[in-house]
Amino acid sequence: MSFTIFPAIDMRGGKCVRLLQGDYDKETVYGDSPFEMAKTFADSGATWIHMVDLDGAKAQEPVNDTFVLQVARELPVKVQIGGGIRTEQVVEHYLSQGVDRVILGSAAINNPAFVKEMLQKYKEKIVIGIDAKDGFVATEGWTTTSTLKATELGVKLAEAGAETFIFTDIATDGMLSGPNVDAILELAKVTGKSVIASGGVSSLEDLQKLQQFESEGVSGAIVGKAIYTGRVELKAALEKVSGQ
């Protein structure tokens, strides 16, 4: 296992954006072309790119999938995509056209039978996204908080076959305040699976801190705003942290 940095591209209206704590009214546009942004990341040495279809998350079906498929097809990177994936038809739509992993998030709460079926069928190509607020799972683009603890959901899905989780602490997302290391480690510990940290990474030091827990299951970090604002220089981070 090696620690992987996943530069993030959040798409809304065909543009690259970042939301503050998932709030659609607090959006910053960082680029007009998701593909060109992905190309920049690939040119810097990234081996994976994390893409999120924000419009899709709201519409509950893919909206910006053409950009995702273009990146998967034309760039020498692996792609994982989340947002609006609610049916096997959509899972197959992505995986059959070169996308490496699809992320199931809200469906884990709203349709657990579907998620378990996808884990059985597609195995490690399914990543479970757990977004938490004060330790409880948030769904529907973070507009709803459930009564289920993130760790409880993690254990259930690990038992169902999940190998990789993406854990986002909503309080830190887009805030450049540092990741919630304790919560990330707790999820890795209780599930015994690989956890990718998401939210709050603001510096090379944050990445190096997370990397220290690689042997405990923290397998990577998603970095968005810190790259766009220049706080993390991707090429240097890839060389220093993940040896990419």
Side-chain angles (χ1 to χ4, degrees), residues 18-22 142 168-176 198-200:
R18 296 300 292 171
L19 305 181
L20 197 64
Q21 295 181 309
W142 301 350
T168 306
D169 177 37
I170 294 173
T172 63
D173 188 71
M175 300 299 288
L176 298 172
S198 173

Side-chain angles (χ1 to χ4, degrees), residues 50-159:
H50 172 83
M51 302 184 80
V52 179
D53 185 351
L54 292 171
D55 295 311
K58 268 199 166 177
Q60 301 195 12
E61 63 182 16
V63 176
N64 293 288
D65 51 324
T66 51
F67 303 112
V68 181
L69 297 177
Q70 186 186 12
V71 172
R73 208 169 39 239
E74 298 181 25
L75 296 177
V77 292
K78 293 181 177 179
V79 175
Q80 61 184 23
I81 172 68
I85 302 168
R86 298 287 195 279
T87 66
E88 183 173 0
Q89 187 180 1
V90 175
V91 171
E92 184 62 27
H93 171 63
Y94 282 125
L95 295 179
S96 66
Q97 296 187 74
V99 172
D100 293 273
R101 298 199 295 217
V102 297
I103 303 158
L104 300 181
S106 298
I109 290 281
N110 301 335
N111 194 351
F114 164 68
V115 174
K116 287 174 184 175
E117 187 186 341
M118 293 303 95
L119 285 167
Q120 295 297 313
K121 192 164 182 178
Y122 297 99
K123 302 190 167 41
E124 74 281 351
K125 290 190 174 291
I126 302 294
V127 178
I128 302 298
I130 297 183
D131 303 334
K133 190 173 186 177
D134 301 323
F136 291 90
V137 177
T139 61
E140 307 308 330
W142 301 350
T143 54
T144 309
T145 304
S146 74
T147 55
L148 185 65
K149 282 194 164 183
T151 47
E152 290 172 34
L153 179 62
V155 168
K156 279 183 187 175
L157 291 170
E159 288 170 354

